[in-house]
Amino acid sequence: MLSIIVAKASNDAIGLNNKLLWHISEDLKRFKEITSGHNILMGRKTFESLPGILPNRHHYILTRDKNFTVDSPNVTVIHSLDECIEKFMNSDEETFVIGGGEIYNLLQPHCSKMYLTVVKKDFEADTFFPQIDYSNWETIHISGELADEKSGLIFEFVDLKLK
Ligand SMILES: NC(=O)c1ccc[n+]([C@@H]2O[C@H](COP(=O)([O-])OP(=O)(O)OC[C@H]3O[C@@H](n4cnc5c(N)ncnc54)[C@H](OP(=O)(O)O)[C@@H]3O)[C@@H](O)[C@H]2O)c1
């Protein structure tokens, strides 16, 4: 099965200049807890925005570039969306779609769970998460509002399951 994990602003903003829009340590901690030990699937641009290969997770990177390689046993490069869908959707194992905008747009219709961090503010951005049609999704967990002491940002963790 495919699940999305994303941190999005009130206006669905998720990135600017191939960077994240905020630093919320509790959110990064949750990302690590949820994805550790699982496959993570991402676009080439998101991979290049990471500080490096994330420990304890196998990385699948989607690119059209046949020459793109990463020299690591923890990385697999994939060139076709259909291959992603076929490989992960019908598996019992949970694979996490971790971004960015293009990949969320392509794979959201094939995901059955979403782990959202909603940052309660609008941000200027060049990359956005697709609008969620909440009539298709059931809320299975909601943290209530939390505050990040360093940035002063208010945020909430919301887990959704496809109805
Ligand atoms: N807030 C969050 O939770 C979050 C999470 C992740 C990322 N982000 C942010 O999102 C931004 C990056 O997102 P993005 O939309 O620019 O890029 P992206 O989705 O990470 O990657 C786009 C790339 O994926 C490849 N691709 C797309 N469709 C494909 C297809 N059908 N077949 C094969 N390859 C395909 C292409 O790579 P090639 O060009 O190599 O062919 C394309 O350039 C950054 O700002 C990042 O910080 C935010």
Side-chain angles (χ1 to χ4, degrees):
M1 70 178 274
L2 281 168
S3 296
I4 274 178
I5 184 160
V6 64
K8 70 180 195 80
S10 298
N11 63 337
D12 291 330
I14 61 165
L16 179 66
N17 299 327
N18 213 29
K19 292 196 183 95
L20 297 174
L21 299 167
W22 46 72
H23 179 98
I24 299 177
S25 57
E26 211 176 321
D27 180 46
L28 297 176
K29 204 174 117 203
R30 171 173 136 111
F31 177 85
K32 186 175 170 191
E33 275 169 14
I34 291 177
T35 60
S36 283
H38 295 278
N39 295 324
I40 50 176
L41 171 59
M42 73 206 81
R44 189 263 309 161
K45 291 184 186 167
T46 291
F47 176 70
E48 289 184 342
S49 77
L50 296 177
I53 292 169
L54 305 176
N56 200 23
R57 279 151 278 191
H58 192 90
H59 299 46
Y60 287 87
I61 304 167
L62 196 58
T63 175
R64 295 187 182 88
D65 181 356
K66 294 275 159 52
N67 297 314
F68 183 84
T69 55
V70 179
D71 186 16
S72 164
N74 295 325
V75 173
T76 303
V77 176
I78 300 192
H79 299 108
S80 128
L81 182 69
D82 287 346
E83 190 188 332
C84 283
I85 295 167
E86 204 175 303
K87 186 173 174 65
F88 300 116
M89 229 186 111
N90 299 317
S91 155
D92 289 341
E93 215 181 316
E94 191 170 17
T95 291
F96 289 90
V97 178
I98 69 157
E102 282 188 44
I103 292 331
Y104 287 138
N105 260 299
L106 290 169
L107 287 173
Q108 199 209 36
H110 305 283
C111 288
S112 42
K113 261 180 118 175
M114 294 202 278
Y115 299 79
L116 312 178
T117 302
V118 183
V119 179
K120 306 281 177 109
K121 191 183 160 185
D122 288 353
F123 279 79
E124 193 192 321
D126 58 19
T127 314
F128 293 83
F129 191 74
Q131 269 206 336
I132 299 170
D133 178 354
Y134 282 93
S135 64
N136 292 330
W137 296 88
E138 178 193 350
T139 303
I140 52 172
H141 172 76
I142 187 156
S143 66
E145 287 192 344
L146 304 164
D148 180 55
E149 272 185 28
K150 262 197 174 162
S151 61
L153 290 168
I154 305 293
F155 61 98
E156 197 164 50
F157 297 130
V158 181
D159 299 343
L160 304 174
K161 195 174 114 212
L162 195 65
K163 277 183 186 167

